[in-house]
Amino acid sequence: MSDRIFGAVGLALAIFYAFAASQIQESFLTDTVGPKAFPYIIAAILGLASAYIALRPDPEPVWPPLGRLVEIVAAVVALMIYAQVLPEIGFVIATAFAAAYLSWRLGSKPLSSVIAGVSISVGIYIVFHLILGLSLARGPFGF
């Protein structure tokens, strides 16, 4: 039963996402694909996956214990905080903290988590900003 509910919620989310994508204003200076194509693709994939889950549920889903559910909620809260502080403290710092926290919660030792968080943050910054030239949120230090 829970798989059917999850599939129905995912299907509703896909419909809402497609509707939101249809509201995107197109400029007269767009490429042939346009800005709506990628959101429509994501909505279609989400809709198909959700429909499959709703129509072919697992016989008996195994729910994680309460401690694991708390860990999942904590990870979601951490990502929500990340999204809120990203414009304020910048990509590199926010990503380093988020990646370090998530790495720690996935089982790394604290020092290894900090090293992983900083490495992930700087690595993504180098690839996306310095090499590809994409704009990332700037913090108080300009990066």
Side-chain angles (χ1 to χ4, degrees):
M1 182 64 172
S2 60
D3 282 355
R4 292 187 192 277
I5 294 170
F6 180 70
V9 169
L11 196 55
L13 183 63
I15 292 168
F16 172 75
Y17 195 74
F19 173 75
S22 72
Q23 303 301 311
I24 296 174
Q25 297 292 325
E26 292 191 36
S27 171
F28 65 92
L29 295 174
T30 60
D31 57 3
T32 55
V33 176
K36 295 181 182 182
F38 186 69
Y40 281 148
I41 291 170
I42 297 296
I45 292 170
L46 177 61
L48 289 172
S50 298
Y52 181 81
I53 290 171
L55 297 174
R56 302 206 49 170
D58 287 339
E60 282 297 320
V62 178
W63 287 90
L66 182 61
R68 280 291 182 200
L69 287 175
V70 170
E71 293 263 348
I72 293 168
V73 169
V76 170
V77 169
L79 292 174
M80 292 170 65
I81 292 170
Y82 170 74
Q84 292 297 315
V85 301
L86 184 64
E88 304 300 322
I89 64 175
F91 177 82
V92 174
I93 297 170
T95 303
F97 277 111
Y101 173 75
L102 293 173
S103 175
W104 174 59
R105 294 317 307 149
L106 287 171
S108 295
K109 294 179 179 169
L111 181 59
S112 298
S113 298
V114 170
I115 292 170
V118 170
S119 300
I120 290 167
S121 177
V122 171
I124 292 173
Y125 181 80
I126 288 171
V127 170
F128 284 94
H129 184 70
L130 300 179
I131 295 175
L132 297 176
L134 298 175
S135 177
L136 300 173
R138 293 186 180 269
F141 303 112
F143 54 85

